[in-house]
Each structure stands twice: as structure tokens, then as C-alpha cells.
Amino acid sequence: MTTTTTGTVTSADGTEIGYHEVGRGPGLVILHGAMQTGHSQIELAQALADAFTCYLPDRRGRGRSGPAGPGYGLRREIEDLEALLDATGAAYVAGVSSGAIITLRTLLERPDVRKAVVFEPPLFEEADAFPSDCLPRLDRELAAGRTAAALVTGMKAARLGPPIFNALPRPLLEMLTGLMLRSQETGDEPSFGRLAPTLRQDLELAARAAGDLELYRPIQAEVLLLGGTRSPAYLRTALAGLERVLSRARRVLMDGLDHSATSNAAQRGRPERVAAEIRRFLQNASNFTGA
């Protein structure tokens, strides 16, 4: 087992951001998505640790990091990532889901990030496509302690459930989700029950990021647009849209994998397959003209 250490950096607003560090070599920040912490991709980092120093931050409000704070928004998330980039000198970033949205926005401001992996950002190309009315409902359910109901609301808004998810009556979905929450009460993985309050942050990011993908055209970093063939169609559509606007990007869909692909094996991930694609992209010489 590769040795893992921990550290902290201080973001622009004074919030402490904790992270795991594993491996040796060029620096790679792996930025997790919704209902996760830095530990959620620890097996992915271990699979890359022979070639890269991997930094896995706990995004604010999670794990060893400080609270989201009253001024929470996309700007705070960018500042957190920038603080880690500045402290470590890492030139590579891999963003997962909502972490991929943060990665894309950071690339617009950080030309020193030479290569980035963008895994299935929940980007809705139409500004009104994201059901922002879910946020008040989510707030009410969380305030009432109805964690299972809040998770169902979030899954429906993000369209991440399997096809049968939309066919089942909501009371049954909430009951099944409640059973899943109870089954997670033991184990090393961060439980959805503990992470549920952070769900609003990620849904807010997706709501605010919805709109024309032309915003990302100025990005000059080399970008690997990574996804799975079994992921929801809108995630694959977002990757195809980004491929059209980014001048130095290539898209890879991993056969048979879904939105959980980057996660640890206990969470249905396939980290070894994802690591192989990331390794190939980061270690190969550029295929882009003028690089």
C-alpha cells in the first residue's frame, strides 16, 4: 500500500483546505465531485502514485476542510483550488463531476495548468435546463432532517439515477434511499448521511454553470474529456460540446463505465481503468499542433 500523508493550505478567505498526498513525481490535483471527499478517489491516486504526486483535497464543507461559509460560490471553489496549486506547484488537474466544473473555470484563469482531465461535468447547455426550483425543496428537506428525501431530490435534479429511478414512486425511492443510508453507517468511505448537507453546494454549482459552452473556448491547456458509455446522456452531450469549443481537447468514452468510474471500488468505481487513461494522457507527448 502506498503511503498517504495529509496537509492543509489556506484559501483566499482564510478557510483551511485539507488534502491527502500520495505518490511521487509531477503534481496532479484530483478534485472530487458531489457526495464525496478527497478519500473518494484514493484508489485512483494510488494507481497513479508511481508516476505522479497526487493531491486529493477535501472540498470546503467536507472532511478535514473548513466550512463552506456564508460567501460560498464558484469563486470560493476556484480560490481553494488555486491555493493548492500555488502551494504544491502542481501543473496537472483532474476534476470529477462538479469538480470538473471548478477545473474548467480555473483553467480560464490559470495558464500554468498545462494539462487537465475533465470527467463528466454536469453542464446543461441551456441556461434554464437545470431545475433550480429543486434548491428550495432541498433546503426544506435538509432543515427537516429528511436526508433520504433530500438525496432523492438531488438525484432527480442531477439526472444521475438509473432509468428505473424516474419510474418509481417517490415514497418508494425515499424508502430505498433510507435503507442505503443505514447500510453505510459503518465502513471507511464517507457516508451519504454525513455528506448530505454539502449536496446543495454542488447543485448550486451546476445551476450557475448552466449555459453556453462558448465560455470555455479561451482555454489553452490540453484537456482530456473523459466519460463512460453508461453515464446519463446529458453528461456525454456536455463532453461532446466541450470537444467542439476547446482547441486542444480529445474525448474518450470508456466502454461499460458510468458516472461512478473514478470512485473507489467499494463505490462501484473502476479506478484502474480510469488511471490508465489519465496516465496515457499526461505522459504522452502533445498531439496538438503548436504545443
Side-chain angles (χ1 to χ4, degrees):
M1 179 75 64
T2 307
T3 301
T4 301
T5 61
T6 59
T8 61
V9 295
T10 304
S11 192
D13 71 341
T15 300
E16 293 293 310
I17 303 299
Y19 62 89
H20 299 273
E21 178 181 340
V22 58
R24 61 181 182 179
L28 167 65
V29 177
I30 302 176
L31 197 62
H32 66 78
M35 304 301 290
Q36 294 184 332
T37 66
H39 187 269
S40 299
Q41 273 87 41
I42 194 69
E43 292 175 11
L44 174 62
Q46 289 168 341
L48 293 164
D50 64 312
F52 302 95
T53 303
C54 298
Y55 303 96
L56 300 102
D58 294 328
R59 286 172 47 208
R60 58 174 58 210
R62 304 159 174 87
R64 301 175 64 252
S65 293
Y72 176 78
L74 184 55
R75 170 50 49 191
R76 290 286 182 258
E77 295 273 13
I78 293 171
E79 291 169 351
D80 296 347
L81 177 53
E82 287 190 310
L84 189 55
L85 291 171
D86 289 340
T88 64
Y92 304 140
V93 179
V96 176
S97 193
S98 51
I101 293 177
I102 299 163
T103 297
L104 285 165
R105 292 299 182 98
T106 303
L107 291 177
L108 290 168
E109 303 181 19
R110 296 290 298 240
D112 55 320
V113 177
R114 301 202 314 270
K115 291 188 176 186
V117 179
V118 170
F119 180 83
E120 296 189 344
L123 290 170
F124 297 83
E125 292 195 58
E126 299 298 327
D128 59 353
F130 182 84
S132 56
D133 58 347
C134 77
L135 295 177
R137 177 171 188 163
L138 184 79
D139 289 339
R140 291 193 300 271
E141 290 166 340
L142 289 173
R146 299 180 59 213
T147 303
L151 292 180
V152 170
T153 296
M155 288 284 283
K156 282 183 170 291
R159 306 180 194 175
L160 293 179
I164 194 173
F165 193 84
N166 293 320
L168 294 176
R170 188 177 179 103
L172 179 57
L173 288 174
E174 292 184 15
M175 182 192 74
L176 293 173
T177 303
L179 292 174
M180 179 271 294
L181 288 172
R182 285 192 287 276
S183 73
Q184 283 193 323
E185 290 175 356
T186 60
D188 294 330
E189 297 291 334
S191 73
F192 284 179
R194 281 185 288 139
L195 292 172
T198 68
L199 183 57
R200 193 193 202 285
Q201 296 169 216
D202 293 276
L203 292 177
E204 183 179 335
L205 289 182
R208 292 188 178 277
D212 193 350
L213 298 182
E214 283 291 326
L215 171 70
Y216 303 107
R217 188 174 290 277
I219 289 174
Q220 290 302 304
E222 294 183 35
V223 179
L224 173 63
L225 301 165
L226 197 57
T229 60
R230 296 183 61 190
S231 293
Y234 87 95
L235 295 175
R236 301 195 303 273
T237 298
L239 291 177
L242 288 168
E243 186 179 34
R244 289 193 297 271
V245 302
L246 296 178
S247 61
R248 306 174 75 199
R250 67 183 181 90
R251 179 166 53 107
V252 173
L253 292 182
M254 297 174 289
D255 188 50
L257 301 193
D258 60 19
H259 198 59
S260 64
T262 67
S263 301
N264 298 331
Q267 299 299 314
R268 300 187 302 110
R270 295 293 301 276
E272 72 291 341
R273 285 189 58 185
V274 179
E277 295 293 346
I278 293 176
R279 182 189 298 270
R280 187 176 301 117
F281 169 67
L282 294 181
Q283 290 186 328
N284 283 359
S286 174
N287 295 317
F288 297 97
T289 303

